[in-house]
Amino acid sequence: MVPRVQLPPEIQLAQRLAGNEQVTRDRAVRKLRKYIVARTGRAAGGFTHDELLKVWKGLFYCMWMQDKPLLQEELGRTISQLTHAFQTAEAQHLFLQTFWQTMNREWTGIDRLRLDKFYMLMRMVLNESLKALKTRGWEERHVEQLLGLLTREILHPDSQAPNGVKSHFIEIFLEELAKVGADELTADQNLKFIEPFCRIAAQTKDSLVLHNITRSIFETIVEQAPFAIEDLMNEMGVEDLSEGNEQELGELAEKPTRGSCRGAAVDLGEEQARGDEDSAGPVLQFDYEAVATKLFEVAGRQDTPSLNRKRLYKVIRKLQDLAEGLFPEDDIPEKAARKLQEGRRGRKTAKRLPKCRLQNMTGRDGQEDLRADPSAGSRRTRQDVATGPTAPQEQTRAQGRRGARRRRRRPRAGARAKVTGCQEPEIKKKRTQANE
């Protein structure tokens, strides 16, 4: 009898992770976490690249088999938090690298009904990888290691990443970075995070990648500038509060005036609700002059395509204006904030003249239609006012040239139409003879 071959634990876990029963899959995920903690905790332990690829294939199909949005979100959070189960930074790095390689390999086989949950999984894994950097104090060595990994596997032109993976990653990067590090990261550190996007935007020959980076990275920085400056001013205002002012505020809070508690509570509630509406979430701080200088450095190279250089120079001008204190929509900040919250750009629409004004300008008898060119109508009205009493004569003369409208004659009651081949009545014949 042939002895049964013992499969490696990684393959066994991958088979259970891709099982048909949800109970089996959930139990396999819990066992995988314990196995990772136990194996990476040893000095001689650790995973190889091929072993983690097998683990991620099982996790990929575990997510594939999961239905119902709430359960998908819970499973995605559990899978992404496996990043913290690895005890060393090198093991975490390899785990994240194999994840993005798995997504690049399996992306073309995902149907449209399953795309949303894998978009969510990518977002959660990116968020947990940034949280891992946060636990290590945003050390420069680990930041460069993660940025190099993401550049090689996703952004670089030689990477195997499909357009869907690239576009979604570029779209969510600044948002997830702001969620994790908006309160701790400085402007210099934030510049370090967007340096790979500056290089790729200058080097890429893919117009889609250039458009996504320009729109989701650089123009987002420009649009969020008012909120970033407002947050900075609020932080400076809070730091400048002295202890004496805080004590005075505390005494005033302890001794409210009679009948003012309810009104104060209402005012605070209204202000809080208004603040929630106006807030744009966490916003990153940037040194706009430094970002413009970095973009100018990479865009001014000889090997930069002319299309990329032209697009980046437009962004550089906006950043330089921000560095000088000139906002793109300084005249209407409230409208700009509303557009930013809605997530779309405001479009300028041409205003049409009201119907009553148009009738007064054209008249009831029907002059030429001025809707196509409103300026022509304004010129004509000025000329009419200037000429005075002679204007009606010119108007009638112009109508005579064009031909005035004639009222259509209606047939009298009892009149008959003339039809070919029909004999005229005898009365009419007698009238014609008498006239002759």
Side-chain angles (χ1 to χ4, degrees):
M1 189 173 179
V2 180
R4 193 171 182 178
V5 179
Q6 185 69 23
L7 294 175
E10 294 81 13
I11 297 178
Q12 294 181 15
L13 286 170
Q15 290 176 350
R16 294 175 184 175
L17 287 169
N20 295 326
E21 299 295 332
Q22 182 177 353
V23 178
T24 305
R25 297 196 300 269
D26 294 342
R27 189 179 298 134
V29 172
R30 291 193 295 269
K31 287 186 177 180
L32 175 62
R33 184 178 185 86
K34 294 178 181 179
Y35 179 67
I36 291 173
V37 172
R39 182 163 176 178
T40 57
R42 297 183 303 219
F47 290 91
T48 63
H49 183 268
D50 294 337
E51 290 174 348
L52 286 178
L53 282 176
K54 294 173 184 176
V55 169
W56 265 117
K57 189 161 190 178
L59 291 171
F60 177 85
Y61 284 103
C62 181
M63 193 69 177
W64 178 286
M65 299 292 291
Q66 185 63 59
D67 55 357
K68 297 180 181 178
L70 293 178
L71 297 178
Q72 292 170 3
E73 184 177 354
E74 183 181 357
L75 178 61
R77 190 178 298 107
T78 303
I79 292 175
S80 61
Q81 288 176 354
L82 290 175
T83 307
H84 306 289
F86 292 86
Q87 305 297 317
T88 60
E90 288 74 15
Q92 284 183 352
H93 178 80
L94 190 59
F95 182 72
L96 295 173
Q97 180 183 5
T98 50
F99 164 73
W100 292 109
Q101 290 176 353
T102 303
M103 295 302 299
N104 294 341
R105 185 185 67 243
E106 304 289 344
W107 187 258
T108 54
I110 303 175
D111 57 277
R112 63 182 182 86
L113 299 176
R114 291 184 170 91
L115 275 177
D116 289 340
K117 58 183 176 183
F118 285 104
Y119 279 141
M120 179 184 63
L121 181 62
M122 292 166 59
R123 181 185 289 271
M124 289 181 173
V125 171
L126 177 61
N127 186 278
E128 295 298 332
S129 62
L130 294 172
K131 285 182 180 178
L133 290 179
K134 184 177 181 180
T135 56
R136 291 183 171 83
W138 306 103
E139 293 183 9
E140 187 175 356
R141 179 172 62 89
H142 297 299
V143 171
E144 291 179 354
Q145 191 177 14
L146 178 63
L147 292 177
L149 162 66
L150 297 175
T151 304
R152 288 192 308 272
E153 300 298 335
I154 305 173
L155 295 176
H156 200 273
D158 296 335
S159 66
Q160 303 298 322
N163 289 332
V165 176
K166 286 183 179 180
S167 300
H168 186 62
F169 170 76
I170 294 170
E171 182 181 355
I172 66 175
F173 183 78
L174 272 189
E175 183 179 351
E176 297 303 317
L177 181 62
K179 289 179 182 177
V180 177
D183 298 333
E184 299 180 1
L185 291 173
T186 62
D188 295 336
Q189 291 174 322
N190 291 329
L191 178 61
K192 191 72 176 178
F193 275 100
I194 66 170
E195 277 184 3
F197 297 96
C198 298
R199 293 194 300 267
I200 297 299
Q203 297 173 0
T204 184
K205 297 180 180 179
D206 190 348
S207 59
L208 178 62
V209 175
L210 175 63
H211 172 75
N212 290 333
I213 292 178
T214 306
R215 180 68 192 93
S216 300
I217 302 297
F218 303 132
E219 292 187 4
T220 301
I221 294 173
V222 174
E223 291 174 358
Q224 291 182 351
F227 299 102
I229 294 175
E230 183 180 357
D231 291 345
L232 185 61
M233 296 299 292
N234 291 337
E235 291 178 4
M236 293 175 62
V238 170
E239 290 177 358
D240 292 341
L241 281 176
S242 60
E243 295 181 358
N245 293 336
E246 291 179 356
Q247 291 177 359
E248 291 178 0
L249 290 174
E251 292 176 358
L252 290 174
E254 291 176 358
K255 298 179 181 180
T257 58
R258 187 175 63 178
S260 63
C261 296
R262 185 175 300 175
V266 172
D267 293 341
L268 288 175
E270 292 178 356
E271 290 179 359
Q272 185 176 2
R274 195 180 301 114
D276 293 339
E277 292 178 358
D278 296 339
S279 63
V283 181
L284 296 170
Q285 301 291 337
F286 285 96
D287 184 357
Y288 303 111
E289 184 65 30
V291 177
T293 303
K294 186 64 180 179
L295 279 177
F296 186 79
E297 178 185 348
V298 296
R301 296 175 181 173
Q302 295 182 354
D303 56 346
T304 303
S306 59
L307 177 64
N308 301 30
R309 184 182 293 110
K310 184 178 179 181
R311 190 74 181 270
L312 292 178
Y313 279 172
K314 291 181 180 179
V315 178
I316 291 171
R317 293 191 197 100
K318 295 180 182 179
L319 291 170
Q320 288 175 347
D321 291 342
L322 286 176
E324 295 174 0
L326 303 176
F327 292 93
E329 297 181 358
D330 197 12
D331 296 334
I332 42 174
E334 294 182 359
K335 188 180 293 186
R338 198 177 305 116
K339 290 174 187 176
L340 178 60
Q341 291 174 0
E342 292 175 358
R344 67 176 186 271
R345 285 183 169 182
R347 296 181 179 178
K348 296 181 179 178
T349 56
K351 296 182 179 179
R352 296 182 178 180
L353 289 173
K355 192 173 181 180
C356 58
R357 281 186 60 192
L358 191 61
Q359 288 180 355
N360 294 334
M361 292 169 62
T362 56
R364 293 184 179 180
D365 294 335
Q367 294 181 6
E368 58 185 86
D369 192 4
L370 302 178
R371 294 180 185 177
D373 189 8
S375 61
S378 61
R379 289 196 302 270
R380 185 175 296 277
T381 54
R382 295 195 196 97
Q383 292 176 0
D384 294 344
V385 172
T387 52
T390 59
Q393 297 177 2
E394 294 179 358
Q395 183 176 357
T396 55
R397 202 175 299 136
Q399 286 184 359
R401 286 197 300 269
R402 289 191 296 271
R405 294 183 180 178
R406 297 179 180 178
R407 294 184 63 184
R408 189 174 181 180
R409 293 183 61 184
R410 295 183 180 178
R412 290 176 296 174
R416 296 182 180 179
K418 208 172 196 180
V419 182
T420 57
C422 181
Q423 295 183 357
E424 295 182 357
E426 295 181 358
I427 300 174
K428 194 172 183 179
K429 288 181 179 180
K430 291 179 180 180
R431 289 178 181 175
T432 54
Q433 290 176 2
N435 292 332
E436 291 176 357

